[in-house]
Amino acid sequence: MSTPLLAHDELCIMNANAEELFTANAGQTKFTATDTSTTSTNIQVYLNGIFQEIGTDYTLGNPSVTVINPATGLTAGDNFDIVITR
């Protein structure tokens, strides 16, 4: 890191077992990972590089992720990243 962390900053170091990057179509809400071992404890989801919260921003199926915020779906060209950790 080029600058030190501040108090209460969060730093996440992870080992990705699988990662799938999608480019959204206009209004798209559902993204399906090919890895079927997704659980609420081993998945991280990012929208355009910003971490998303389960239950607030998306719901988790197996292996589908459904965007609930924004309710109208994503904008065409948005980057949607599903990371499965171990």
Side-chain angles (χ1 to χ4, degrees):
M1 301 189 149
S2 60
T3 59
L5 296 175
L6 301 176
H8 308 291
D9 281 351
E10 291 185 22
L11 175 66
C12 178
I13 299 173
M14 67 175 184
N15 180 13
N17 187 54
E19 180 176 15
E20 300 203 36
L21 181 60
F22 300 91
T23 302
N25 295 313
Q28 187 173 359
T29 59
K30 188 172 185 178
F31 299 86
T32 303
T34 55
D35 186 322
T36 59
S37 64
T38 56
T39 68
S40 62
T41 60
N42 75 350
I43 189 170
Q44 294 180 346
V45 174
Y46 298 87
L47 174 58
N48 296 323
I50 299 171
F51 179 73
Q52 303 294 288
E53 296 284 343
I54 191 168
T56 301
D57 300 307
Y58 70 93
T59 60
L60 179 61
N62 190 9
S64 297
V65 172
T66 302
V67 174
I68 56 174
N69 181 24
T72 56
L74 302 186
T75 302
D78 278 347
N79 293 310
F80 195 77
D81 192 11
I82 299 173
V83 179
I84 300 162
T85 62
R86 296 287 180 242

